[in-house]
Amino acid sequence: MTEFYSQHTKYYVSVDCIIFGFDGSKIEVLIGRRQMDPGRSEFSLYGGFVRPDESVDDAARRVVNDLTGMSNLYMRQVGAYGDVDRDPGGRVISVAYCALINVRDYDDRLRQKYGLVWITLDDMPRLYSDHNRMINDAIMQIRRRINTQPLSFNLLPEYFTLTQLQHVYEAVLNKKIDKRNFRKRIKQIDLIKQTNRIDHTMSRSGARLYRFDREKYEKDPTFKL
Amino acid sequence: MTEFYSQHTKYYVSVDCIIFGFDGSKIEVLIGRRQMDPGRSEFSLYGGFVRPDESVDDAARRVVNDLTGMSNLYMRQVGAYGDVDRDPGGRVISVAYCALINVRDYDDRLRQKYGLVWITLDDMPRLYSDHNRMINDAIMQIRRRINTQPLSFNLLPEYFTLTQLQHVYEAVLNKKIDKRNFRKRIKQIDLIKQTNRIDHTMSRSGARLYRFDREKYEKDPTFKL
DNA sequence: CCAAAAGTGTTCCGTCTACACCCATGG
DNA sequence: CCATGGGTGTAGACGGAACACTTTTGG
């Protein structure tokens, strides 16, 4: 702490955004093909450089908003990635963020406009730079948190069936869950409200729709499985 | 992804290191007084700027090594802090790291050389910039992980008593733990080996010393409470 | 002999797990 | 009427929480 700032080196700082969705049975990620050299046309997360007038968090929000047209999404920092040679184009330190979105709210024209594709985790190709590691770190983080924070609802429409909710947990945790035990647990969480709406798209007899009570959660932000 | 890197702004990137120790009953952090303007002489974490030839992780290791003379410490990234005005001296994006050390291995002359002091979490003064937030985020992270990763042993000597180990858990979780239940749990973790050494410093009759079997843990890195 | 810390088991209760059948409906 | 997905209960195992007294020994 004895020198002045100006004696030190500056670096490019970027954000990379891992946008997670849920296709009904698998977790998927929005990736694109890189539009610039080096690595042009390689699969890549979508990212952007941090601008002088915005925080790093704001940069991530801006990139995600450009990409999805959506704001107020659930977003979380995954971590900073700073290996010297991580980017073949130069020394860039990148901060990864993940976002969870409901794919039904997402305007598919934006996806096409940016040439993005939804890829499930199992089908993930090799991505540019250390982006595979970022996705891996992000999914591990979500896996750790999904039982103590209400993440799953961000991947579903406002009104969802218990079967859909269970499929989210199965996809994130990558294991089968017993239907009766799952529903028993859900019913004793009073943040998950039964509604009187019925979904008829998936079954002949219809399934009860539920919703997550965000207002109540804001007041008392505790959530357990 | 349509511009060249060189059109973008570069930033100073620093690391800030949160060095945790354990004084026998409380968790404490090594802090100093800032040696440079702005904020000269304010309490602060110890940090440093990232150099061109090192990764961000390496920068953190370098700073911690300078400060403690120790290497191969348990270290973990806490997160990137990138608010525009976080540092009054200019736009600096900082990546926080925490390290856990055994204070008995630490050369107190180094502490004096750098003018550092150990401060317990309860007595933490207001620190420079967003350093209080970093410490807070770090302790929350440790609290979440202490039951699923063998963190606690990094705060203790190689040989430790079960009472000492319990005190670490109590300090981190900030709550009393039942002695009999704690010891019952410990005894069924076969990574924690009883030795035939006895510690006589704390009690007339002496207490059995234990050690953590790192070799075994490397082979099968699972740990539960 | 006494102060101080080490060490030790049992019971209870709540939670998690395993498991299989009937229902309602639209086509 | 039948295929499809929705919905429901119970019993046993397991793990966590509460709880108090005896032992050792150096001074």
Side-chain angles (χ1 to χ4, degrees):
Chain A
M1 290 201 217
T2 52
E3 309 99 329
F4 295 101
Y5 292 6
S6 60
Q7 295 174 290
H8 298 285
T9 308
K10 293 182 169 188
Y11 305 92
Y12 296 118
V13 178
S14 65
V15 294
D16 284 301
C17 298
I18 306 154
I19 298 178
F20 285 108
F22 178 64
D23 73 358
S25 67
K26 300 270 192 178
I27 298 296
E28 49 187 13
V29 180
L30 208 48
I31 62 172
R33 284 190 183 270
R34 200 171 146 86
Q35 308 283 310
M36 74 199 292
D37 286 314
R40 187 184 294 270
S41 90
E42 283 181 37
F43 281 115
S44 167
L45 291 173
Y46 207 92
F49 288 92
V50 174
R51 296 181 182 164
D53 60 344
E54 66 185 1
S55 70
V56 178
D57 286 358
D58 286 339
R61 277 188 281 267
R62 169 175 56 80
V63 167
V64 170
N65 183 256
D66 283 354
L67 224 61
T68 64
M70 295 153 77
S71 47
N72 289 115
L73 293 173
Y74 175 88
M75 287 189 65
R76 187 126 209 151
Q77 190 186 113
V78 174
Y81 294 77
D83 284 356
V84 174
D85 293 321
R86 57 173 292 283
D87 190 321
R91 183 77 196 265
V92 181
I93 289 156
S94 189
V95 184
Y97 286 78
C98 73
L100 302 180
I101 74 170
N102 167 24
V103 292
R104 279 178 18 181
D105 292 344
Y106 177 53
D107 182 347
D108 203 66
R109 286 168 305 185
L110 275 169
R111 184 185 67 71
Q112 289 170 30
K113 173 179 162 191
Y114 289 103
L116 302 172
V117 283
W118 286 109
I119 305 277
T120 65
L121 293 172
D122 291 335
D123 297 332
M124 194 58 59
R126 163 140 206 182
L127 305 179
Y128 181 74
S129 183
D130 48 9
H131 292 185
N132 290 94
R133 207 177 116 215
M134 292 177 180
I135 292 178
N136 216 52
D137 292 347
I139 188 71
M140 296 300 279
Q141 191 178 91
I142 290 171
R143 212 168 268 171
R144 282 195 304 269
R145 294 186 206 263
I146 196 166
N147 285 326
T148 50
Q149 290 179 240
L151 305 186
S152 41
F153 312 105
N154 297 294
L155 293 165
L156 292 171
E158 183 181 356
Y159 292 87
F160 52 84
T161 68
L162 295 185
T163 302
Q164 287 176 308
L165 186 64
Q166 181 177 340
H167 288 336
V168 171
Y169 278 85
E170 289 178 336
V172 168
L173 300 172
N174 201 23
K175 68 174 187 194
K176 279 251 161 282
I177 296 173
D178 180 86
K179 183 164 54 155
R180 278 178 288 192
N181 294 336
F182 183 76
R183 293 164 105 97
K184 210 186 313 166
R185 282 211 299 280
I186 295 301
K187 291 209 169 137
Q188 64 205 33
I189 299 174
D190 58 1
L191 291 167
I192 302 175
K193 299 269 198 250
Q194 193 177 103
T195 70
N196 45 25
R197 300 199 195 186
I198 305 290
D199 171 89
H200 289 280
T201 59
M202 279 294 119
S203 94
R204 312 261 158 126
S205 57
R208 179 70 63 171
L209 286 163
Y210 290 74
R211 54 182 288 281
F212 178 67
D213 189 342
R214 286 192 189 278
E215 296 70 38
K216 186 163 190 173
Y217 178 73
E218 304 298 338
K219 285 182 204 137
D220 174 21
T222 58
F223 179 82
K224 185 67 177 63
L225 190 80
Chain B
M1 290 203 217
T2 52
E3 310 97 331
F4 294 102
Y5 291 6
S6 57
Q7 294 174 290
H8 298 285
T9 307
K10 293 180 168 189
Y11 305 93
Y12 296 118
V13 177
S14 67
V15 294
D16 284 301
C17 298
I18 306 153
I19 299 178
F20 286 107
F22 179 64
D23 73 358
S25 68
K26 299 272 192 179
I27 299 296
E28 49 188 12
V29 180
L30 207 50
I31 62 172
R33 284 190 183 269
R34 201 170 144 88
Q35 307 284 312
M36 74 199 293
D37 287 313
R40 188 184 295 269
S41 91
E42 284 181 37
F43 281 116
S44 167
L45 291 173
Y46 208 92
F49 287 92
V50 174
R51 296 182 183 163
D53 60 344
E54 66 185 1
S55 70
V56 178
D57 287 357
D58 286 339
R61 277 187 282 268
R62 169 175 56 79
V63 167
V64 170
N65 183 257
D66 284 353
L67 224 60
T68 64
M70 296 153 77
S71 47
N72 290 114
L73 292 174
Y74 175 88
M75 288 188 65
R76 187 126 210 153
Q77 190 186 114
V78 175
Y81 294 77
D83 284 356
V84 174
D85 293 321
R86 57 172 292 282
D87 190 320
R91 182 76 196 265
V92 181
I93 289 155
S94 189
V95 184
Y97 286 78
C98 73
L100 302 181
I101 74 170
N102 167 23
V103 292
R104 280 177 20 182
D105 291 345
Y106 176 51
D107 183 347
D108 204 65
R109 287 169 304 185
L110 275 169
R111 185 185 67 70
Q112 288 169 30
K113 172 179 163 193
Y114 289 102
L116 302 173
V117 284
W118 287 108
I119 305 277
T120 65
L121 293 173
D122 292 335
D123 297 332
M124 194 59 59
R126 163 143 204 175
L127 305 180
Y128 181 75
S129 182
D130 48 9
H131 291 185
N132 289 96
R133 208 177 115 214
M134 291 177 179
I135 293 179
N136 215 51
D137 292 347
I139 188 72
M140 295 299 280
Q141 191 179 88
I142 290 171
R143 211 167 270 171
R144 281 195 305 269
R145 294 186 207 262
I146 196 167
N147 285 324
T148 49
Q149 288 179 241
L151 305 187
S152 41
F153 312 105
N154 297 294
L155 293 165
L156 292 171
E158 184 181 357
Y159 293 86
F160 53 84
T161 68
L162 295 185
T163 303
Q164 287 176 308
L165 186 64
Q166 182 178 341
H167 287 334
V168 171
Y169 278 84
E170 290 178 335
V172 169
L173 300 173
N174 200 23
K175 67 174 189 196
K176 280 250 161 284
I177 295 173
D178 180 86
K179 184 164 58 156
R180 279 178 287 192
N181 293 337
F182 183 77
R183 293 164 104 96
K184 209 186 313 165
R185 283 210 300 279
I186 295 301
K187 292 214 167 132
Q188 64 205 32
I189 298 175
D190 58 0
L191 291 167
I192 302 175
K193 298 267 197 255
Q194 193 176 103
T195 69
N196 45 24
R197 302 199 194 186
I198 305 288
D199 170 87
H200 290 279
T201 59
M202 281 292 119
S203 95
R204 309 263 157 127
S205 54
R208 179 71 64 171
L209 287 162
Y210 289 73
R211 54 182 288 279
F212 179 67
D213 189 342
R214 287 192 188 277
E215 297 69 38
K216 187 163 190 174
Y217 178 74
E218 304 298 339
K219 284 183 204 137
D220 174 22
T222 58
F223 179 82
K224 186 66 178 60
L225 190 81

